[in-house]
Amino acid sequence: MLRRTILAAARSGRTRRLITNAPVSRSVVRRFVAGSSVDDAVRVTRQLIDAGLRVSLDHLGEDTTEEAQAKTATAAYLELLARLRRAGLTGTAELSVKLSAIGLLLDQSMAAENARVICEAADRAGTTVTIDMEDSGTTDATLAIVGDLRESFPSVGLVLQAYLRRTEADCREFACAGSRVRLCKGAYKEPESVAFQDKLDVDRSYVRSLNVLMAGSGYPMFATHDPRLIAIAGERAKWYDRSPGTYEYQMLYGVRPEEQRRLTTEGETVRVYVPYGDQWYAYLMRRLAERPANVAFFVRSLVSKG
Ligand code: FDA
């Protein structure tokens, strides 16, 4: 209920202005975002990699409404790749890209072309790209673009969201050799016609989808902070005789860092999703919507700063 309310309120221009201009927002943002510059992104990536983790970097921005903006977002990824390469980090750090940041809402073929440019550069730099999944209005277009990209770059990862009713079937389709699939619960406000609304139903769908991915021959990436789902993934890995490294866990920067380290110490592969840049509003609102404790943290910071 709180989640849906926050996601709905986040769309209002007034809320956006209020949150974006509140000085305290910056300190909350720092918890979830590496910083505004590419230097910040590279610095945080280095720290995480030194701690034994892997990284997927997201240049913040989405729902781009102008072609020039889409080009700027594409160029930002190229600059990031050049910097990661120079720093010797492309073996352990990859990219996460939102198609709406590079033009999907303007023109599907423009987004596909920009994604291709990024994938080519990533391939030359020796790393991979995962295409994030956004609201359900973009699912088919996103899967079509990933399908095309995979013909040239088979390592391109896709994301499936357990809250969508279609996801278990999508997992069956994509659990094939070499296929990198990130499974998450899903972060957008979706209607009942396409998505489970009850948390328990979403978790059950996650477990069914996890089973399909573990039983298949692809490379599953379990993106969750949920202790029960992490434990179930571990059990299924044993059941299907999968050794660490044939699947991975993924978590967000700033969320459960001690659990990220614990899993790494146990020999598991853990990748941290690291966002950076100035366009943090929508990302922050989804993080607040996910967890009442994050809202409390935000409100406490507001109050304590007077
Ligand atoms: P949920 O939020 O339901 O939390 C379950 C439990 O986890 C909690 O009850 C608590 O026990 C524990 N927990 C969660 N947060 C905690 C915290 N801060 N501290 C302590 N315990 C905590 N979504 C999307 O739609 N498209 C995408 O492309 C992606 N990509 C993506 C990448 C990665 C790497 C991650 C981790 C997530 C995404 N997501 C996403 C977001 C995802 O869909 C989802 O909204 C969040 O991960 C929150 O869901 P959880 O699975 O963590 O469970």
Side-chain angles (χ1 to χ4, degrees):
M1 179 64 185
L2 179 68
R3 176 176 174 273
R4 296 179 71 74
T5 310
I6 293 174
L7 289 177
R11 294 222 188 100
S12 119
R14 238 176 111 205
T15 311
R16 175 185 279 269
R17 279 192 298 280
L18 185 76
I19 303 275
T20 312
N21 295 330
V24 67
S25 296
R26 301 271 157 190
S27 62
V28 180
V29 167
R30 263 201 296 279
R31 181 175 152 193
F32 297 108
V33 173
S36 56
S37 70
V38 69
D39 284 344
D40 294 322
V42 173
R43 176 179 46 78
V44 167
T45 299
R46 164 79 66 205
Q47 285 166 2
L48 292 167
I49 286 173
D50 286 350
L53 296 150
R54 295 180 189 211
V55 170
S56 192
L57 282 146
D58 165 36
H59 178 257
L60 287 166
E62 54 200 86
D63 297 347
T64 292
T65 52
E66 286 168 26
E67 188 174 344
Q69 240 181 318
K71 286 274 166 258
T72 305
T74 306
Y77 275 111
L78 301 186
E79 186 195 356
L80 173 63
L81 277 168
R83 292 290 307 276
L84 291 173
R85 191 179 195 169
R86 249 184 283 146
L89 296 170
T90 44
T92 34
E94 66 142 24
L95 307 185
S96 280
V97 177
K98 283 190 174 47
L99 291 179
S100 82
I102 55 172
L104 184 63
L105 306 186
L106 292 167
D107 173 3
Q108 187 168 329
S109 56
M110 183 208 301
E113 182 47 34
N114 287 337
R116 176 167 296 277
V117 168
I118 295 169
C119 289
E120 270 164 5
D123 195 49
R124 277 198 303 276
T127 188
T128 51
V129 175
T130 296
I131 304 293
D132 283 357
M133 190 59 83
E134 303 179 67
D135 64 270
S136 62
T138 64
T139 308
D140 284 327
T142 302
L143 292 181
I145 290 175
V146 170
D148 287 346
L149 290 170
R150 281 183 166 186
E151 285 178 18
S152 311
F153 311 103
S155 66
V156 170
L158 65 89
V159 181
L160 297 175
Q161 299 151 315
Y163 65 13
L164 293 187
R165 296 177 191 275
R166 60 180 283 171
T167 286
E168 188 183 348
D170 284 339
C171 284
R172 288 187 203 290
E173 185 179 340
F174 290 106
C176 49
S179 174
R180 297 170 65 246
V181 179
R182 176 194 297 160
L183 180 65
C184 65
K185 288 192 186 180
Y188 297 81
K189 182 168 174 283
E190 297 291 356
E192 196 168 355
S193 53
V194 299
F196 299 110
Q197 307 293 309
D198 191 278
K199 246 176 132 15
L200 198 57
D201 288 334
V202 176
D203 290 356
R204 287 191 183 119
S205 167
Y206 196 105
V207 174
R208 290 194 301 274
S209 302
L210 180 157
N211 283 335
V212 172
L213 294 176
M214 278 298 204
S217 49
Y219 182 81
M221 306 183 279
F222 299 114
T224 183
H225 314 98
D226 192 323
R228 283 197 313 158
L229 296 179
I230 291 169
I232 291 171
E235 276 168 24
R236 296 302 192 272
K238 289 197 190 89
W239 176 263
Y240 288 109
D241 219 10
R242 275 181 175 263
S243 51
T246 65
Y247 62 92
E248 69 183 41
Y249 295 99
Q250 298 191 342
M251 294 189 208
L252 301 176
Y253 178 66
V255 181
R256 303 200 72 199
E258 68 299 332
E259 177 66 358
Q260 297 169 14
R261 282 193 296 276
R262 183 190 71 79
L263 287 165
T264 308
T265 309
E266 288 188 357
E268 300 288 355
T269 302
V270 182
R271 192 177 296 275
V272 182
Y273 183 102
V274 177
Y276 76 100
D278 289 326
Q279 304 295 310
W280 45 259
Y281 175 75
Y283 183 85
L284 178 71
M285 293 309 276
R286 287 196 295 275
R287 300 296 76 83
L288 294 182
E290 253 147 44
R291 196 167 151 78
N294 289 341
V295 181
F297 176 74
F298 187 75
V299 172
R300 261 200 319 276
S301 309
L302 268 176
V303 172
S304 64
K305 300 268 155 88

